[in-house]
C-alpha cells in the first residue's frame, strides 16, 4: 500500500522520454495464454525485500542502473560539446538501493511498526544545480518543439540518416529531441533491432497483472481480507490506499496499528508466498514464450554495460 508496485529500476529522465516515443512500437501480449500455470509447492514467505523475480535477469540491477545513468550523462555532454556547450554530470554517488520490500504491499513488521504505510526515507543521488540555459542551449538539449504525432527516428541508426524534426545551431545539425534523446538512442536503442528496457518491463508488468487475477492469488486476497475483518478492519486488497487513512496520516498511530495488522494477516495467510510463487510461474511462462526476444535483450544489456563502462572510464 502507498507504494509504487514496480520494483524494477527506474529509467533516467531522458530514457523515460524515449520510452514515450517507443510506446506502441514493440508491444507484446506476454504470451497470451489464459490458462493458469502450475506452481508446485508454495514456500512460506513474509518479507519480500530480497525476493527476485525471473525477469530481473534481463534488466539492469541497482549498480548497473546507476552506471547507465552516469554513462547517459556523458553522452549528453559529448553531444552538447559539438555545439560549444557543456552538460553538468551527475555526482558520482553510490547507487540508490531499490529493493522489493513493497513488492506485494507492506510486508516488513519493523517498517510497519515504525512508519505505518509511509515509505522509509531513502537517499538519492543529486544533480548539481544547473545554470540557466540560453535559448540555443535549451534548443540543443531538448530539440525542437514539434507535433508529437510526427514520426521521428526510433534508433540512432535511423536518426543519423534522418532530418525529421531537426534544426541547425552553430552550423551543426541538432538531432530530433536534442541531446537528451540522442543520448538515450545511442545507449538504449542504437539499432532497429534494439529491445527496449520498457518492453522487458512490459513482460513483467503483464505477468504481474495476470498473477493478480489468478484464482490462487484472489483466494489469498480473500483470506487476508477476512483476517483483517476479524481484527476490525475492512479492506479488500493489500495494494492501494488503505480505507480510512488519507495521505497526510499514513504514519499516524491509527495507520501504524492497521499496518501492523496488515503484515500480521499476510503472515497468517501466507499471501506473499502464494503471490510470489504465482507471479514467478507467469514470468517463467513469458520467458519461455519470448525466449528469442529476451535472449537478444540480455545480450544487448551486456553490450550496453560495456559501452557505459568505456564512456565513464573516458571522463
Amino acid at each position: 500500500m502507498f507504494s509504487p508496485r514496480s520494483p524494477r529500476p527506474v529509467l533516467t529522465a531522458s530514457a523515460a522520454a524515449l520510452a514515450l516515443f517507443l510506446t506502441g512500437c514493440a508491444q507484446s501480449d506476454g504470451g497470451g495464454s489464459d490458462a493458469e500455470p502450475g506452481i508446485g509447492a508454495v514456500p512460506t514467505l513474509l518479507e519480500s525485500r530480497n525476493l527476485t523475480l525471473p525477469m530481473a535477469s534481463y534488466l539492469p540491477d541497482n549498480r548497473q542502473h546507476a552506471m547507465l545513468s552516469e554513462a547517459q550523462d556523458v553522452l549528453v555532454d559529448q553531444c552538447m560539446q559539438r555545439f560549444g556547450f557543456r552538460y553538468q554530470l551527475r555526482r558520482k554517488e553510490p547507487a540508490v538501493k531499490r529493493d522489493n520490500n513493497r513488492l506485494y504491499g507492506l510486508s516488513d513488521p519493523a517498517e510497519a511498526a515504525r512508519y505505518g504505510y509511509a515509505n522509509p526515507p531513502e537517499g538519492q543521488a543529486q544533480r548539481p544545480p544547473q545554470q540557466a540555459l540560453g535559448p540555443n542551449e535549451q534548443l540543443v538539449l531538448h530539440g525542437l518543439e514539434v507535433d508529437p504525432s510526427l514520426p521521428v527516428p526510433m534508433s540512432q541508426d535511423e536518426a543519423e540518416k534522418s532530418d525529421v524534426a531537426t534544426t541547425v545551431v552553430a552550423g551543426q545539425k541538432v538531432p530530433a529531441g536534442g541531446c537528451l534523446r540522442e543520448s538515450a538512442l545511442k545507449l538504449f536503442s542504437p539499432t532497429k533491432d534494439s529491445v527496449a528496457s520498457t518492453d522487458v518491463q512490459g513482460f513483467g508488468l503483464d505477468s504481474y497483472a495476470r498473477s493478480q487475477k489468478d484464482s490462487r492469488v484472489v483466494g489469498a486476497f480473500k483470506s487476508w481480507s477476512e483476517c483483517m475483518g476479524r481484527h476490525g478492519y475492512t479492506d479488500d486488497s493489500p495494494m492501494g490506499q488503505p480505507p480510512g487513512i488519507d495521505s497526510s496520516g499514513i504514519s499516524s498511530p491509527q495507520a501504524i496499528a492497521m499496518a501492523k495488522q496488515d503484515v500480521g494477516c499476510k503472515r497468517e495467510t501466507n499471501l506473499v508466498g502464494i503471490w510470489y510463487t504465482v507471479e514467478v510461474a507467469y514470468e517463467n511462462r513469458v520467458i519461455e514464450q519470448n525466449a528469442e526476444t529476451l535472449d537478444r535483450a540480455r545480450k544487448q544489456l551486456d553490450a550496453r554495460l560495456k559501452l557505459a563502462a568505456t564512456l565513464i572510464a573516458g571522463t
Side-chain angles (χ1 to χ4, degrees):
M1 294 184 184
F2 267 100
S3 175
R5 174 27 170 86
S6 176
R8 286 90 182 171
V10 179
L11 296 174
T12 59
S14 44
L18 174 62
L20 294 178
F21 286 110
L22 295 178
T23 299
C25 294
Q27 298 295 321
S28 170
D29 63 2
S33 174
D34 291 327
E36 295 184 350
I39 58 173
V42 176
T44 300
L45 300 171
L46 180 60
E47 293 185 40
S48 61
R49 184 181 307 278
N50 295 318
L51 297 180
T52 301
L53 290 162
M55 203 63 66
S57 65
Y58 300 93
L59 291 163
D61 60 24
N62 297 323
R63 181 189 61 80
Q64 293 166 339
H65 176 72
M67 182 191 299
L68 290 170
S69 294
E70 187 178 341
Q72 192 171 345
D73 281 353
V74 174
L75 287 170
V76 176
D77 187 47
Q78 288 180 354
C79 175
M80 294 290 285
Q81 288 186 60
R82 299 204 305 265
F83 302 88
F85 305 120
R86 294 303 303 265
Y87 183 72
Q88 288 181 298
L89 304 183
R90 186 184 308 273
R91 287 186 183 141
K92 295 180 181 179
E93 296 187 12
V96 175
K97 181 173 174 56
R98 297 183 178 90
D99 56 35
N100 290 339
N101 68 321
R102 301 291 174 99
L103 190 62
Y104 303 112
L106 187 62
S107 65
D108 184 327
E111 280 190 9
R114 183 173 181 183
Y115 300 107
Y117 286 103
N119 285 311
E122 112 182 333
Q124 201 161 16
Q126 298 295 317
R127 187 182 296 279
Q130 183 79 26
Q131 296 178 352
L133 300 180
N136 279 350
E137 280 182 287
Q138 192 82 12
L139 180 58
V140 170
L141 184 61
H142 297 285
L144 285 172
E145 288 190 20
V146 295
D147 183 342
S149 67
L150 291 177
V152 291
M154 304 308 295
S155 70
Q156 183 59 21
D157 279 354
E158 294 174 3
E160 291 173 357
K161 302 171 186 175
S162 172
D163 288 320
V164 173
T166 64
T167 187
V168 174
V169 170
Q172 298 276 341
K173 184 173 75 171
V174 177
C179 288
L180 285 176
R181 192 169 192 277
E182 180 183 279
S183 70
L185 289 177
K186 282 187 172 181
L187 194 57
F188 297 101
S189 186
T191 61
K192 289 181 67 174
D193 71 342
S194 299
V195 181
S197 295
T198 48
D199 294 334
V200 180
Q201 291 172 332
F203 287 131
L205 292 172
D206 179 85
S207 298
Y208 165 70
R210 291 174 186 271
S211 74
Q212 196 169 21
K213 297 175 182 178
D214 186 277
S215 63
R216 293 154 294 195
V217 174
V218 170
F221 275 29
K222 185 174 184 293
S223 297
W224 173 88
S225 179
E226 290 172 350
C227 174
M228 292 292 284
R230 290 194 297 272
H231 293 88
Y233 298 104
T234 301
D235 200 350
D236 294 329
S237 172
M239 308 296 285
Q241 183 168 328
I245 297 175
D246 60 30
S247 57
S248 64
I250 55 177
S251 288
S252 65
Q254 176 192 6
I256 288 175
M258 184 175 182
K260 289 165 69 176
Q261 189 55 59
D262 176 354
V263 174
C265 285
K266 285 191 176 82
R267 186 194 301 275
E268 182 177 321
T269 60
N270 196 28
L271 184 146
V272 172
I274 294 169
W275 197 350
Y276 173 69
T277 304
V278 169
E279 187 170 9
V280 165
Y282 279 99
E283 286 207 356
N284 282 333
R285 184 166 71 183
V286 166
I287 289 169
E288 182 180 351
Q289 294 174 335
N290 297 275
E292 183 178 346
T293 297
L294 288 170
D295 181 61
R296 194 163 77 248
R298 180 178 278 153
K299 290 176 180 176
Q300 290 175 5
L301 174 59
D302 290 342
R304 198 172 295 145
L305 292 169
K306 288 179 182 177
L307 172 60
T310 301
L311 289 167
I312 293 168
T315 58

